[in-house]
């Protein structure tokens, strides 16, 4: 079985986990607070400063899991489902069930990165 290009996998995963969660969090705050909506960029920078490094670490962990799962002889839908469930459990462990449900779209980051790397990136 051919392997994913691990350098690009790590880069995409780390960037996705560092950049996307702050966007979703600030977007969630902006929908309920007009002051946040007016200063979206400033609030994004604040949240990015808090979440960025943590998100990058999560991204690196999920890049490793994605690479490891890719080497397994399972169906792709099972690998994607496993990544989704691990993401959900990670979010639930971080802040509880309500947090995980509210930020459920974050659970799609690792499966999407898996899909992109599996379909688009050169193997090697």
């Amino acid at each position: 079985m051919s392997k994913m290009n691990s350098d690009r996998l790590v880069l995409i995963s780390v960037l996705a986990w560092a950049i996307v969660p702050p966007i979703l969090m600030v977007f969630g705050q902006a929908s309920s607070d007009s002051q946040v909506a007016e200063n979206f960029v400033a609030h994004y920078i604040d949240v990015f400063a808090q979440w960025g490094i943590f998100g990058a670490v999560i991204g690196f962990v999920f890049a490793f899991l994605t690479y490891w799962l890719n080497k397994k002889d399972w169906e792709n839908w099972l690998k994607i489902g496993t990544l989704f469930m691990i993401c959900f459990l990670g979010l639930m462990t971080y802040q509880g069930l309500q947090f995980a449900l509210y930020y459920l779209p974050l659970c799609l980051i690792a499966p999407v990165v898996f899909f992109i790397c599996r379909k688009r990136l050169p193997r090697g």
Side-chain angles (χ1 to χ4, degrees):
M1 176 185 245
S2 59
K3 300 174 186 175
M4 284 189 227
N5 184 316
S6 57
D7 295 340
R8 292 183 185 168
L9 172 65
V10 170
L11 177 65
I12 292 171
S13 188
V14 167
L15 286 176
W17 275 99
I19 293 171
V20 175
I23 290 173
L24 285 179
M25 289 177 186
V26 174
F27 188 75
Q29 292 170 357
S31 64
S32 62
D33 186 349
S34 62
Q35 187 177 5
V36 173
E38 290 172 10
N39 299 314
F40 189 90
V41 174
H43 286 281
Y44 175 77
I45 291 169
D46 289 343
V47 175
F48 179 78
Q50 297 169 2
W51 247 92
I53 294 174
F54 183 67
V57 170
I58 292 174
F60 187 78
V61 169
F62 277 105
F64 170 78
L65 286 172
T66 302
Y67 184 77
W68 179 75
L69 280 173
N70 183 58
K71 291 169 51 174
K72 299 296 174 188
D73 191 21
W74 300 350
E75 294 291 332
N76 282 341
W77 64 267
L78 190 58
K79 294 175 185 180
I80 288 170
T82 302
L83 285 169
F84 184 86
M85 290 307 299
I86 292 171
C87 286
F88 184 79
L89 290 174
L91 290 174
M92 200 167 75
T93 303
Y94 177 64
Q95 288 279 345
L97 180 61
Q98 185 177 4
F99 180 86
L101 289 173
Y102 190 73
Y103 292 114
L104 196 61
L106 294 179
C107 295
L108 295 173
I109 294 175
V112 166
V113 169
F114 173 84
F115 182 77
I116 290 170
C117 290
R118 186 104 174 123
K119 298 290 183 190
R120 305 263 184 232
L121 296 179
R123 317 277 167 127

